[in-house]
Amino acid sequence: MTGSITLILPAVILVSGAFLVYLLSRALRLGNRAEALLTAFVLAGSLTSLLVLFVQLPGLVGEPGIAFGLETAGGVIYQPNAVGIFVLILSAAITLLVTIYSAEYLKHDPRYQLYYPLLLLTQAGLFGIFMSRDLFNLFLLTELTTVAASALIAFRFHQEIAIKAGFKYLLMSSLGTMIMLLGVYFVYRSTGDLRLVALLDAPDRFTRIGAACFLVGFSLKAGVVPLHTWVPDVYGHAPSAVSGLLAGVMSKSMLLILPMICLRLGMSHVELGVFLMVFGCGNMVLGSVRMLGQSLLRRFLSFSSIAQTGYLMFGLGIGFYYELAEAYSAGMFLFLVIALMKSLAFLSAGIYEFQTGTQEIHRLIGAGRKMRWTGLAFSTALASLAGIPLLAGFTGKWLIFSAALRTGDLFAGICLAIFLVSTVIGLAGYLPLLVKQYLPGNVEKPSGSGSASSERVSLWMLMPALLLALLIFGIGIYPTPWIGLVDTVMNWMAFV
């Protein structure tokens, strides 16, 4: 073994914590809230260790030899990188909020003992994806994340639609990992080595095929059009807390691992940039158009998530195609903003569904008048997604817009026009939904619904949502420190 254990301490805490939480919950018969608090402590420990790594990053990235694992053939190497640490900190923070939210959200679910360990294992798998420098190990950890996430999606197994959603995600994501395994074969056939530590000196057609396999595999997991068909069913029928985590962080982060692999295997910056910009336009248009007229709240948010994926792809694509540092930073900032907005939107939608027993939009007219704090949080998410000024979503889109204008190129101009049209179409979806919350009238409850709650909204659910709303307001009003943080990460980062 080489390197310090502190490099993999976050993953050690998550994996050991998952088993510890499950064993203690069974042995001590812990209630849902007690297990949620225990899980929150584990996540807080992992988040703290990630923050320590973040502080140490300038020295770590300056020494490429710093790693943990076995250097010999067949060994597994974990190496810290700026983008990975940034993504993992954001993911751990949002998962911590989701855990606190779930302390009340899961009070009617008897199988909560399995839920929290699965959350921790999903985070551990994400850590491995970003930190592993071995392609086969990366494949295995991607599959770990897939299996754990599938179980979370199908958590409410007594609902047939939840089982179908979990199975669909498992099937589609496993197809993506199988394509990546084919890429592993091509890379090994060409190089005889699966370590991903530097640019290949002489990439050939086999390594380029391998890069294409990873591109397709991770694109499927990110919901890139036309590989997006699983998104509405999964986000629409998984528990709302899980949908928020998947839509906010997990799926979007797959776009950030792409450059670390594809560029090292022989794909050029221009090729990757063209892919992201062209297919990003497809996501923007399809997501914005399809979310119009949706009758179910979380299905509406699912198509919105497809459009947000397109905006992120557009920003990153500009950075790669034109090798423009400002566009890299804009894309990373937008990733941060999307994570907050989508998590808040799904958590707020979950509160509405928890309190009323429905996610049918026409039955939620007036919900914001009855649940004022929830209405404020959901309105913040919708307005920010729509790009209303003084909110984080506007700042993120403005940075992408500015980066595209800076290129002065026709290709970027065409994509920018699609970006603007998609944003206008999105307004036609977000603003009516925002207004409907406050129209006069009582919230309608579906007949025979036994899941509706007439109680006041619990602080366990409300506080995470309000904290996310506060962050969105704060970033929108005073984005400078956050932009500076992203720029710092960019200065430490090397995509290749």
Side-chain angles (χ1 to χ4, degrees), residues 395-424:
T395 306
K397 289 184 176 180
W398 176 258
L399 292 176
I400 298 295
F401 176 82
S402 301
L405 284 182
R406 194 170 291 115
T407 65
D409 185 66
L410 178 61
F411 179 37
I414 294 172
C415 294
L416 180 59
I418 296 173
F419 172 87
L420 294 174
V421 170
S422 172
T423 300
V424 172

Side-chain angles (χ1 to χ4, degrees), residues 476-488:
I477 294 172
Y478 188 50
T480 304
W482 302 91
I483 295 175
L485 173 65
V486 170
D487 287 338
T488 300

Side-chain angles (χ1 to χ4, degrees), residues 214-234:
F214 279 98
L215 183 72
V216 173
F218 280 115
S219 294
L220 198 156
K221 291 176 176 294
V224 175
V225 172
L227 306 174
H228 68 286
T229 54
W230 59 270
V231 172
D233 291 333
V234 170

